[in-house]
Amino acid sequence: MDRPTLILRATLMALLIGSATLPARVAAQDAPRTFTISPGYRFTEKSGEALYNATCAGCHMPDGKGAQGAGHYPALAGNPAVEAAPYVILNVLHGRKGMPSFDDEMNDDQVAAVVNYTRTHFGNRFTGSVTPSQVRSLR
């Protein structure tokens, strides 16, 4: 599938579930941050599970069920938006609302690994693995 088709599919999926009205980069720029990552920091974890635990579990919870309280952290478990791999890649790379971007902190292999982990765990069984080249094309 070509890049414009992937982006269109991800955008349509996001709109269908009512979770996106702006491109991820615009939303990331306009939204307040709940925390920041030190400039120049690079994650060293390589596996999707280790990256999820280091970067995602604090907000989306170790079981992927999300949380509510001081903020709203959407569930990744059983979330149909996670099926659209480009949507997940864009959120990891560029952030969304209070979620920080990880484009400078993770390389293409790491982003692919954490996206694949999220799409195949927590009750999610979406097919089609994300490749580092797909990540690179969406940076």
Side-chain angles (χ1 to χ4, degrees):
M1 197 176 302
D2 64 327
R3 182 173 184 224
T5 302
L6 288 171
I7 292 171
L8 177 61
R9 186 173 174 190
T11 302
L12 290 174
M13 176 65 88
L15 290 172
L16 284 173
I17 63 166
S19 66
T21 56
L22 298 171
R25 186 177 291 276
V26 173
Q29 291 170 350
D30 294 341
R33 296 285 184 227
T34 56
F35 67 93
T36 58
I37 300 169
S38 299
Y41 182 81
R42 297 291 295 190
F43 288 97
T44 58
E45 294 83 357
K46 295 190 185 332
S47 77
E49 181 177 21
L51 285 158
Y52 180 87
N53 289 329
T55 62
C56 311
C59 296
H60 295 286
M61 300 295 109
D63 60 5
K65 292 185 179 175
Q68 300 240 3
H72 172 74
Y73 306 97
L76 301 174
N79 185 336
V82 176
E83 181 175 8
Y87 174 75
V88 183
I89 294 167
L90 287 170
N91 282 302
V92 171
L93 288 175
H94 305 300
R96 179 164 168 69
K97 298 185 179 178
M99 179 179 157
S101 63
F102 293 97
D103 61 337
D104 292 332
E105 293 79 22
M106 287 189 205
N107 64 36
D108 296 336
D109 291 315
Q110 290 170 311
V111 173
V114 76
V115 170
N116 286 328
Y117 180 80
T118 303
R119 296 181 72 241
T120 58
H121 287 77
F122 318 118
N124 299 327
R125 299 288 178 250
F126 302 118
T127 59
S129 293
V130 169
T131 65
S133 64
Q134 286 175 293
V135 173
R136 189 171 21 268
S137 73
L138 292 173
R139 278 198 186 266

